[in-house]
Amino acid sequence: DHQILKGLHSLRGGLDALLNVRQTAADRYNTAKAVLDAEWQEAMQPVMEDLYWYPLRNGLDATPDDEAELRTWLERRYRDGALVVALLLLLRRYSRRAYNLGGQTALDMLALDGTFRLTDPAILALIDDHTEQLTTVGGENSLLDTTIDDLVIEIPKAKAVAGSTALALAAYIALRSARRTETIERTERPLQVAQALTETFVNNGIVYQMYDVNGVGCPKICAPLHGIVMPVRRIPAY
Protein backbone atom coordinates (compact mmCIF):
# COMPACT_ATOMS: atom_id res chain seq x y z
CA ASP A 1 0.00 0.00 0.00
CA HIS A 2 2.84 2.36 0.84
CA GLN A 3 4.47 1.82 -2.54
CA ILE A 4 1.16 2.35 -4.36
CA LEU A 5 0.52 5.56 -2.42
CA LYS A 6 4.04 6.76 -3.14
CA GLY A 7 3.54 6.03 -6.83
CA LEU A 8 0.23 7.91 -6.90
CA HIS A 9 1.83 10.93 -5.24
CA SER A 10 4.61 10.82 -7.80
CA LEU A 11 2.09 10.60 -10.63
CA ARG A 12 0.10 13.51 -9.19
CA GLY A 13 3.25 15.58 -9.00
CA GLY A 14 4.04 14.81 -12.63
CA LEU A 15 0.52 15.72 -13.74
CA ASP A 16 0.62 18.97 -11.80
CA ALA A 17 3.94 19.85 -13.39
CA LEU A 18 2.51 19.04 -16.83
CA LEU A 19 -0.52 21.23 -16.21
CA ASN A 20 1.76 24.07 -15.11
CA VAL A 21 3.82 23.70 -18.28
CA ARG A 22 0.67 23.74 -20.40
CA GLN A 23 -0.71 26.83 -18.65
CA THR A 24 2.61 28.65 -18.98
CA ALA A 25 2.72 27.79 -22.67
CA ALA A 26 -0.85 29.05 -23.10
CA ASP A 27 -0.05 32.29 -21.30
CA ARG A 28 3.02 32.88 -23.47
CA TYR A 29 1.03 32.11 -26.60
CA ASN A 30 -1.82 34.48 -25.70
CA THR A 31 0.62 37.30 -24.97
CA ALA A 32 2.58 36.80 -28.18
CA LYS A 33 -0.62 36.32 -30.19
CA ALA A 34 -2.04 39.64 -29.00
CA VAL A 35 1.13 41.44 -30.08
CA LEU A 36 1.22 39.69 -33.46
CA ASP A 37 -2.48 40.32 -34.11
CA ALA A 38 -2.17 44.02 -33.37
CA GLU A 39 0.94 44.46 -35.52
CA TRP A 40 -0.54 42.43 -38.37
CA GLN A 41 -3.77 44.42 -38.49
CA GLU A 42 -1.97 47.75 -38.16
CA ALA A 43 0.29 46.90 -41.10
CA MET A 44 -2.44 45.41 -43.29
CA GLN A 45 -5.30 47.88 -43.02
CA PRO A 46 -3.67 50.72 -45.02
CA VAL A 47 -2.58 48.18 -47.64
CA MET A 48 -6.15 46.90 -47.91
CA GLU A 49 -7.48 50.46 -48.26
CA ASP A 50 -4.96 51.14 -51.02
CA LEU A 51 -5.95 47.87 -52.67
CA TYR A 52 -9.51 49.13 -53.06
CA TRP A 53 -8.42 52.55 -54.30
CA TYR A 54 -5.72 51.29 -56.66
CA PRO A 55 -7.86 50.80 -59.81
CA LEU A 56 -9.75 54.04 -59.06
CA ARG A 57 -6.71 56.31 -58.88
CA ASN A 58 -7.77 58.07 -62.12
CA GLY A 59 -11.33 58.58 -60.91
CA LEU A 60 -14.65 56.82 -61.35
CA ASP A 61 -15.27 58.28 -64.79
CA ALA A 62 -12.70 55.85 -66.21
CA THR A 63 -14.63 52.81 -64.98
CA PRO A 64 -16.99 50.97 -67.38
CA ASP A 65 -20.71 51.08 -66.70
CA ASP A 66 -21.46 47.54 -67.84
CA GLU A 67 -21.00 45.02 -65.00
CA ALA A 68 -19.18 42.40 -67.07
CA GLU A 69 -16.89 45.02 -68.60
CA LEU A 70 -16.24 46.50 -65.14
CA ARG A 71 -15.21 43.11 -63.76
CA THR A 72 -12.84 42.49 -66.68
CA TRP A 73 -11.46 46.02 -66.31
CA LEU A 74 -10.75 45.48 -62.60
CA GLU A 75 -9.18 42.05 -63.14
CA ARG A 76 -6.81 43.53 -65.72
CA ARG A 77 -5.64 46.24 -63.31
CA TYR A 78 -5.13 43.85 -60.42
CA ARG A 79 -2.97 41.60 -62.58
CA ASP A 80 -0.49 44.44 -62.99
CA GLY A 81 -0.11 46.31 -59.73
CA ALA A 82 2.84 47.09 -57.49
CA LEU A 83 0.40 47.25 -54.60
CA VAL A 84 -0.38 43.56 -55.02
CA VAL A 85 3.32 42.85 -54.46
CA ALA A 86 3.18 44.85 -51.22
CA LEU A 87 0.23 42.75 -50.06
CA LEU A 88 2.03 39.54 -51.00
CA LEU A 89 5.16 40.47 -49.05
CA LEU A 90 3.14 41.54 -46.02
CA LEU A 91 1.16 38.29 -45.96
CA ARG A 92 4.33 36.28 -46.42
CA ARG A 93 6.10 38.05 -43.56
CA TYR A 94 3.29 37.70 -41.06
CA SER A 95 2.46 34.13 -42.09
CA ARG A 96 6.03 33.15 -41.26
CA ARG A 97 5.82 34.94 -37.94
CA ALA A 98 2.59 33.09 -37.16
CA TYR A 99 4.24 29.78 -38.05
CA ASN A 100 7.13 30.59 -35.72
CA LEU A 101 4.62 31.40 -32.98
CA GLY A 102 2.94 28.02 -33.43
CA GLY A 103 6.26 26.19 -33.42
CA GLN A 104 7.43 28.00 -30.30
CA THR A 105 4.16 27.22 -28.55
CA ALA A 106 4.57 23.53 -29.35
CA LEU A 107 8.10 23.56 -27.89
CA ASP A 108 6.80 25.30 -24.77
CA MET A 109 3.97 22.78 -24.39
CA LEU A 110 6.49 19.94 -24.61
CA ALA A 111 8.80 21.71 -22.13
CA LEU A 112 11.62 21.72 -24.70
CA ASP A 113 14.26 24.44 -24.53
CA GLY A 114 15.15 26.57 -27.50
CA THR A 115 13.75 29.21 -29.82
CA PHE A 116 11.72 28.06 -32.82
CA ARG A 117 12.74 29.48 -36.20
CA LEU A 118 11.26 28.21 -39.44
CA THR A 119 14.05 27.23 -41.85
CA ASP A 120 12.58 24.19 -43.63
CA PRO A 121 12.67 25.03 -47.37
CA ALA A 122 9.66 22.83 -48.12
CA ILE A 123 7.45 24.56 -45.53
CA LEU A 124 8.68 28.01 -46.57
CA ALA A 125 7.76 27.12 -50.15
CA LEU A 126 4.26 26.04 -49.05
CA ILE A 127 3.73 29.37 -47.27
CA ASP A 128 4.99 31.26 -50.31
CA ASP A 129 2.66 29.32 -52.60
CA HIS A 130 -0.28 29.92 -50.27
CA THR A 131 0.29 33.68 -50.13
CA GLU A 132 0.80 33.72 -53.91
CA GLN A 133 -2.65 32.17 -54.34
CA LEU A 134 -4.17 34.74 -51.99
CA THR A 135 -2.79 37.60 -54.10
CA THR A 136 -3.48 36.23 -57.58
CA VAL A 137 -6.64 36.97 -59.57
CA GLY A 138 -8.41 33.63 -59.84
CA GLY A 139 -6.19 32.06 -57.18
CA GLU A 140 -7.48 29.82 -54.41
CA ASN A 141 -9.22 32.02 -51.79
CA SER A 142 -7.95 35.07 -53.69
CA LEU A 143 -8.19 38.32 -51.74
CA LEU A 144 -8.16 40.16 -55.06
CA ASP A 145 -11.24 38.30 -56.28
CA THR A 146 -13.13 39.36 -53.14
CA THR A 147 -12.02 42.96 -53.64
CA ILE A 148 -13.21 42.86 -57.25
CA ASP A 149 -16.55 41.39 -56.16
CA ASP A 150 -16.99 44.28 -53.71
CA LEU A 151 -16.06 46.97 -56.22
CA VAL A 152 -18.31 45.57 -58.94
CA ILE A 153 -21.21 46.23 -56.54
CA GLU A 154 -20.05 49.49 -54.98
CA ILE A 155 -18.72 51.44 -57.97
CA PRO A 156 -22.11 51.65 -59.73
CA LYS A 157 -23.70 52.68 -56.42
CA ALA A 158 -21.14 55.45 -55.94
CA LYS A 159 -21.55 56.70 -59.52
CA ALA A 160 -25.32 56.87 -59.02
CA VAL A 161 -25.06 59.14 -55.96
CA ALA A 162 -24.73 62.66 -57.34
CA GLY A 163 -22.54 65.07 -55.39
CA SER A 164 -21.22 62.63 -52.79
CA THR A 165 -19.49 60.00 -54.88
CA ALA A 166 -16.05 60.22 -53.30
CA LEU A 167 -17.40 60.55 -49.76
CA ALA A 168 -19.73 57.57 -50.03
CA LEU A 169 -17.11 55.32 -51.58
CA ALA A 170 -14.41 56.45 -49.14
CA ALA A 171 -16.63 55.62 -46.17
CA TYR A 172 -17.41 52.19 -47.60
CA ILE A 173 -13.77 51.38 -48.33
CA ALA A 174 -12.59 52.46 -44.87
CA LEU A 175 -15.16 50.27 -43.13
CA ARG A 176 -14.84 47.30 -45.47
CA SER A 177 -11.04 47.26 -45.45
CA ALA A 178 -10.99 47.35 -41.63
CA ARG A 179 -13.37 44.40 -41.39
CA ARG A 180 -11.50 42.41 -44.02
CA THR A 181 -8.15 43.12 -42.37
CA GLU A 182 -9.40 41.60 -39.12
CA THR A 183 -10.95 38.63 -40.92
CA ILE A 184 -7.76 37.92 -42.89
CA GLU A 185 -5.56 38.05 -39.80
CA ARG A 186 -7.95 35.85 -37.80
CA THR A 187 -8.01 33.33 -40.62
CA GLU A 188 -4.36 33.25 -41.67
CA ARG A 189 -2.73 33.40 -38.25
CA PRO A 190 -4.58 30.36 -36.80
CA LEU A 191 -3.94 28.44 -40.02
CA GLN A 192 -0.17 28.86 -39.78
CA VAL A 193 -0.12 28.32 -36.00
CA ALA A 194 -2.04 25.05 -36.36
CA GLN A 195 0.25 23.78 -39.10
CA ALA A 196 3.32 24.63 -37.05
CA LEU A 197 1.91 22.91 -33.97
CA THR A 198 1.25 19.74 -35.97
CA GLU A 199 4.68 19.62 -37.60
CA THR A 200 6.51 20.32 -34.35
CA PHE A 201 4.53 17.70 -32.44
CA VAL A 202 5.18 15.08 -35.12
CA ASN A 203 8.88 15.93 -35.28
CA ASN A 204 9.09 15.37 -31.52
CA GLY A 205 7.32 12.00 -31.45
CA ILE A 206 3.80 13.12 -30.55
CA VAL A 207 1.23 10.85 -32.23
CA TYR A 208 -2.08 11.88 -30.60
CA GLN A 209 -3.49 15.00 -29.06
CA MET A 210 -6.57 15.68 -26.95
CA TYR A 211 -9.00 18.52 -27.54
CA ASP A 212 -9.12 20.48 -24.28
CA VAL A 213 -11.45 23.48 -24.02
CA ASN A 214 -10.03 24.34 -20.58
CA GLY A 215 -13.48 25.56 -19.50
CA VAL A 216 -12.58 29.27 -19.82
CA GLY A 217 -14.89 31.25 -22.07
CA CYS A 218 -15.65 28.08 -24.02
CA PRO A 219 -18.05 28.56 -26.97
CA LYS A 220 -20.97 26.13 -27.02
CA ILE A 221 -19.76 24.65 -30.30
CA CYS A 222 -16.48 23.59 -28.65
CA ALA A 223 -17.80 22.11 -25.39
CA PRO A 224 -18.92 18.74 -26.86
CA LEU A 225 -15.43 18.18 -28.27
CA HIS A 226 -13.74 18.30 -24.86
CA GLY A 227 -11.67 15.18 -24.20
CA ILE A 228 -11.68 13.85 -27.77
CA VAL A 229 -8.38 12.20 -28.65
CA MET A 230 -7.30 12.28 -32.29
CA PRO A 231 -4.21 11.54 -34.39
CA VAL A 232 -2.06 14.65 -34.81
CA ARG A 233 -1.88 14.14 -38.57
CA ARG A 234 -5.59 13.46 -39.01
CA ILE A 235 -7.50 16.12 -37.10
CA PRO A 236 -11.13 16.27 -38.31
CA ALA A 237 -12.02 19.38 -40.30
CA TYR A 238 -14.77 20.38 -37.89
Side-chain angles (χ1 to χ4, degrees), residues 30-42:
N30 287 327
T31 299
K33 178 182 77 70
V35 173
L36 179 61
D37 289 356
E39 291 180 3
W40 193 330
Q41 292 183 32
E42 183 179 5

Side-chain angles (χ1 to χ4, degrees), residues 14-218:
L15 289 173
D16 287 343
L18 182 60
L19 290 173
N20 289 334
V21 166
R22 187 188 66 176
Q23 187 58 51
T24 300
D27 291 342
R28 288 179 180 175
Y29 170 76
N30 287 327
T31 299
K33 178 182 77 70
V35 173
L36 179 61
D37 289 356
E39 291 180 3
W40 193 330
Q41 292 183 32
E42 183 179 5
M44 179 166 285
Q45 183 164 346
V47 175
M48 288 301 299
E49 287 189 16
D50 289 345
L51 190 69
Y52 277 93
W53 283 114
Y54 180 76
L56 308 176
R57 59 194 182 282
N58 295 322
L60 287 175
D61 292 340
T63 62
D65 293 326
D66 179 77
E67 180 178 326
E69 291 181 7
L70 176 58
R71 182 175 294 276
T72 301
W73 184 86
L74 289 167
E75 289 175 351
R76 188 163 55 247
R77 274 148 185 78
Y78 280 122
R79 285 193 176 98
D80 182 25
L83 190 68
V84 176
V85 176
L87 178 62
L88 168 66
L89 295 177
L90 186 148
L91 286 168
R92 188 169 292 174
R93 179 170 73 251
Y94 280 99
S95 292
R96 292 180 179 186
R97 286 184 59 183
Y99 197 99
N100 282 329
L101 173 59
Q104 186 63 56
T105 301
L107 292 182
D108 292 344
M109 291 175 70
L110 298 174
L112 297 175
D113 293 333
T115 300
F116 185 95
R117 289 290 179 269
L118 174 59
T119 58
D120 188 320
I123 296 176
L124 287 168
L126 287 174
I127 291 176
D128 290 351
D129 180 68
H130 175 66
T131 54
E132 186 81 31
Q133 290 293 321
L134 291 175
T135 54
T136 299
V137 173
E140 186 176 355
N141 299 318
S142 171
L143 303 179
L144 302 186
D145 288 354
T146 306
T147 305
I148 291 170
D149 290 342
D150 288 343
L151 290 176
V152 166
I153 295 172
E154 295 302 320
I155 287 175
K157 288 183 181 179
K159 294 173 76 171
V161 180
S164 60
T165 298
L167 182 62
L169 193 58
Y172 167 80
I173 288 175
L175 180 61
R176 179 64 174 148
S177 61
R179 288 177 176 174
R180 287 194 68 198
T181 293
E182 183 176 358
T183 299
I184 292 165
E185 176 270 313
R186 291 190 176 182
T187 301
E188 295 302 313
R189 186 256 305 152
L191 172 66
Q192 299 302 334
V193 166
Q195 291 176 342
L197 283 168
T198 296
E199 290 300 321
T200 308
F201 284 154
V202 169
N203 290 338
N204 285 281
I206 303 300
V207 180
Y208 295 95
Q209 62 182 11
M210 183 181 72
Y211 196 94
D212 182 4
V213 301
N214 203 27
V216 179
C218 172

